[in-house]
mmCIF file with all atom_site columns, all heavy atoms in Angstrom:
data_model
loop_
_atom_site.group_PDB
_atom_site.id
_atom_site.type_symbol
_atom_site.label_atom_id
_atom_site.label_alt_id
_atom_site.label_comp_id
_atom_site.label_asym_id
_atom_site.label_entity_id
_atom_site.label_seq_id
_atom_site.pdbx_PDB_ins_code
_atom_site.Cartn_x
_atom_site.Cartn_y
_atom_site.Cartn_z
_atom_site.occupancy
_atom_site.B_iso_or_equiv
_atom_site.pdbx_formal_charge
_atom_site.auth_seq_id
_atom_site.auth_comp_id
_atom_site.auth_asym_id
_atom_site.auth_atom_id
_atom_site.pdbx_PDB_model_num
ATOM 1  N N   . PRO B 1 406 ? 210.690 289.911 258.922 1.00 91.00 ? 406 PRO B N   1
ATOM 2  C CA  . PRO B 1 406 ? 210.355 289.372 260.254 1.00 91.00 ? 406 PRO B CA  1
ATOM 3  C C   . PRO B 1 406 ? 208.977 288.695 260.238 1.00 91.00 ? 406 PRO B C   1
ATOM 4  O O   . PRO B 1 406 ? 208.066 289.141 259.532 1.00 91.00 ? 406 PRO B O   1
ATOM 5  C CB  . PRO B 1 406 ? 210.327 290.622 261.138 1.00 91.00 ? 406 PRO B CB  1
ATOM 6  C CG  . PRO B 1 406 ? 211.047 291.683 260.365 1.00 91.00 ? 406 PRO B CG  1
ATOM 7  C CD  . PRO B 1 406 ? 210.806 291.370 258.918 1.00 91.00 ? 406 PRO B CD  1
ATOM 8  N N   . GLU B 1 407 ? 208.851 287.650 261.039 1.00 90.00 ? 407 GLU B N   1
ATOM 9  C CA  . GLU B 1 407 ? 207.568 286.950 261.156 1.00 90.00 ? 407 GLU B CA  1
ATOM 10 C C   . GLU B 1 407 ? 206.440 287.906 261.523 1.00 90.00 ? 407 GLU B C   1
ATOM 11 O O   . GLU B 1 407 ? 205.335 287.810 260.998 1.00 90.00 ? 407 GLU B O   1
ATOM 12 C CB  . GLU B 1 407 ? 207.664 285.863 262.231 1.00 90.00 ? 407 GLU B CB  1
ATOM 13 C CG  . GLU B 1 407 ? 208.389 284.611 261.803 1.00 90.00 ? 407 GLU B CG  1
ATOM 14 C CD  . GLU B 1 407 ? 207.463 283.581 261.179 1.00 90.00 ? 407 GLU B CD  1
ATOM 15 O OE1 . GLU B 1 407 ? 206.232 283.642 261.346 1.00 90.00 ? 407 GLU B OE1 1
ATOM 16 O OE2 . GLU B 1 407 ? 207.998 282.685 260.499 1.00 90.00 ? 407 GLU B OE2 1
ATOM 17 N N   . ALA B 1 408 ? 206.740 288.844 262.438 1.00 91.00 ? 408 ALA B N   1
ATOM 18 C CA  . ALA B 1 408 ? 205.701 289.773 262.884 1.00 91.00 ? 408 ALA B CA  1
ATOM 19 C C   . ALA B 1 408 ? 205.201 290.611 261.713 1.00 91.00 ? 408 ALA B C   1
ATOM 20 O O   . ALA B 1 408 ? 203.992 290.820 261.556 1.00 91.00 ? 408 ALA B O   1
ATOM 21 C CB  . ALA B 1 408 ? 206.248 290.666 263.997 1.00 91.00 ? 408 ALA B CB  1
ATOM 22 N N   . ALA B 1 409 ? 206.136 291.051 260.840 1.00 93.00 ? 409 ALA B N   1
ATOM 23 C CA  . ALA B 1 409 ? 205.752 291.860 259.682 1.00 93.00 ? 409 ALA B CA  1
ATOM 24 C C   . ALA B 1 409 ? 204.928 291.028 258.713 1.00 93.00 ? 409 ALA B C   1
ATOM 25 O O   . ALA B 1 409 ? 203.943 291.498 258.129 1.00 93.00 ? 409 ALA B O   1
ATOM 26 C CB  . ALA B 1 409 ? 206.999 292.409 258.990 1.00 93.00 ? 409 ALA B CB  1
ATOM 27 N N   . LEU B 1 410 ? 205.329 289.757 258.548 1.00 94.00 ? 410 LEU B N   1
ATOM 28 C CA  . LEU B 1 410 ? 204.564 288.927 257.639 1.00 94.00 ? 410 LEU B CA  1
ATOM 29 C C   . LEU B 1 410 ? 203.171 288.650 258.187 1.00 94.00 ? 410 LEU B C   1
ATOM 30 O O   . LEU B 1 410 ? 202.187 288.675 257.439 1.00 94.00 ? 410 LEU B O   1
ATOM 31 C CB  . LEU B 1 410 ? 205.256 287.598 257.357 1.00 94.00 ? 410 LEU B CB  1
ATOM 32 C CG  . LEU B 1 410 ? 204.465 286.957 256.208 1.00 94.00 ? 410 LEU B CG  1
ATOM 33 C CD1 . LEU B 1 410 ? 205.066 287.352 254.884 1.00 94.00 ? 410 LEU B CD1 1
ATOM 34 C CD2 . LEU B 1 410 ? 204.288 285.498 256.375 1.00 94.00 ? 410 LEU B CD2 1
ATOM 35 N N   . ALA B 1 411 ? 203.075 288.411 259.479 1.00 94.00 ? 411 ALA B N   1
ATOM 36 C CA  . ALA B 1 411 ? 201.770 288.151 260.091 1.00 94.00 ? 411 ALA B CA  1
ATOM 37 C C   . ALA B 1 411 ? 200.850 289.359 259.890 1.00 94.00 ? 411 ALA B C   1
ATOM 38 O O   . ALA B 1 411 ? 199.672 289.207 259.547 1.00 94.00 ? 411 ALA B O   1
ATOM 39 C CB  . ALA B 1 411 ? 201.944 287.837 261.580 1.00 94.00 ? 411 ALA B CB  1
ATOM 40 N N   . ALA B 1 412 ? 201.397 290.557 260.076 1.00 95.00 ? 412 ALA B N   1
ATOM 41 C CA  . ALA B 1 412 ? 200.605 291.776 259.869 1.00 95.00 ? 412 ALA B CA  1
ATOM 42 C C   . ALA B 1 412 ? 200.186 291.894 258.408 1.00 95.00 ? 412 ALA B C   1
ATOM 43 O O   . ALA B 1 412 ? 199.054 292.288 258.092 1.00 95.00 ? 412 ALA B O   1
ATOM 44 C CB  . ALA B 1 412 ? 201.415 292.996 260.303 1.00 95.00 ? 412 ALA B CB  1
#
Side-chain angles (χ1 to χ4, degrees):
Chain B
E407 283 270 342
L410 190 91

